[in-house]
Amino acid sequence: MKTIQLLALLVTATLASCGNPNPEKSETNETPETVANEREFYQLKVYSFSSEDQVAATDNYLQNAFIPAVKKQGIDKVGVFKFRTNEKDTVQRTYVLLPFKSMEDFLALDNKLGEDAEYAAAGSAYLNAAYDNAPYDRIESILMQAFTDMPMMQVPNLDSPRAERIYELRSYESPTEKLYVNKVDMFNAGGEVKLFDRLNFNAVFYGEVISGAHMPNLIYMTTHADMATRDKNWEAFVDSPEWKEMSALPKYQNNVSHADIWFLYPTDYSDY
């Protein structure tokens, strides 16, 4: 009798499991591990200059030596942007954005460039510049990993003249590591990324900073046809019911201690 009862229970359990499939598996095949494996790494290199000759020398190197060489290594969609100087910040800067599929690709790049004879020839003036005639004042390098809600970089859908476009780069610093994680969560689970997408902010990337000068912080880039469109988009963001609800939640309070905003535009040879 006990054996019969046990078999009956097993049959019942089997039928129940067949009639109630896991709803999460039916909705998507992507697991957290899959998303983690898809997340790109980004390097943002910021060149600072004090003369027009430096700007021209670095532009020539980037366009004719560096970008062709990194594309030979399978690194596509390289962004090169110029800083829109203003009365408070007159330092000329060029921003170079590089996507990597893995940390191994990032670590291997310099060695691969060093073995490229065409790169060495095309970039000779820059690479062999004299100590007292450097093609830049300094380079800042920031290493990031993509957010889970946007694991890969996107090319913005803009058709306005490049010189008029606004590529808005933002850095949000947090007072502690825990609050930094909270701010990243606000973008992902909280819905900021989805809201930017709904309002056509044309985001290029969202990145968790792994190594940089202002940690803990995140950096992201949105794009707009021109400054008027940018202002209109941000007004819609601030006035949206999603943002008003999200920003009022107690769990998302005090997670940003400082914000920097830089307005950029793409060079003629930028992929973005």
Side-chain angles (χ1 to χ4, degrees), residues 23-35 38:
E24 294 182 355
K25 291 184 178 179
S26 65
E27 289 177 2
T28 177
N29 291 323
E30 289 211 339
T31 65
E33 292 78 11
T34 302
V35 173
E38 289 179 349

Side-chain angles (χ1 to χ4, degrees), residues 41-196:
F41 292 87
Y42 307 131
Q43 183 187 29
L44 183 64
K45 300 177 72 173
V46 185
Y47 293 78
S48 298
F49 310 103
S50 55
S51 73
E52 293 294 341
D53 287 342
Q54 288 180 321
V55 175
T58 299
D59 268 331
N60 181 67
Y61 160 74
L62 292 172
Q63 182 176 6
N64 299 308
F66 182 75
I67 291 180
V70 299
K71 288 192 173 184
K72 283 166 59 178
Q73 301 303 327
I75 300 172
D76 199 10
K77 298 182 176 64
V78 180
V80 183
F81 314 95
K82 299 291 186 178
F83 175 61
R84 294 184 181 276
T85 57
N86 54 67
E87 293 180 358
K88 294 182 179 180
D89 192 349
T90 59
V91 176
Q92 295 190 74
R93 291 192 289 271
T94 294
Y95 293 72
V96 180
L97 181 62
L98 296 166
F100 297 90
K101 294 179 181 178
S102 68
M103 275 297 296
E104 288 75 14
D105 290 344
F106 166 73
L107 294 172
L109 179 60
D110 284 346
N111 287 336
K112 290 181 177 179
L113 292 179
E115 299 169 353
D116 188 334
E118 292 183 8
Y119 164 73
S124 177
Y126 173 98
L127 296 170
N128 299 313
Y131 76 93
D132 56 353
N133 190 30
Y136 50 81
D137 288 346
R138 65 183 54 85
I139 303 173
E140 177 185 358
S141 177
I142 304 167
L143 185 62
M144 298 170 278
Q145 187 173 20
F147 280 15
T148 57
D149 268 31
M150 187 172 167
M152 290 179 282
M153 201 177 289
Q154 300 292 329
V155 178
N157 182 24
L158 298 175
D159 56 10
S160 57
R162 285 180 177 251
E164 295 180 10
R165 296 178 192 176
I166 299 296
Y167 282 53
E168 185 168 357
L169 189 68
R170 289 192 171 215
S171 169
Y172 291 166
E173 298 175 37
S174 297
T176 67
E177 289 95 328
K178 182 177 180 179
L179 287 169
Y180 160 74
V181 172
N182 177 267
K183 182 58 182 175
V184 173
D185 179 77
M186 192 175 181
F187 272 86
N188 292 316
E192 277 195 77
V193 171
K194 291 182 178 64
L195 179 55
F196 279 124

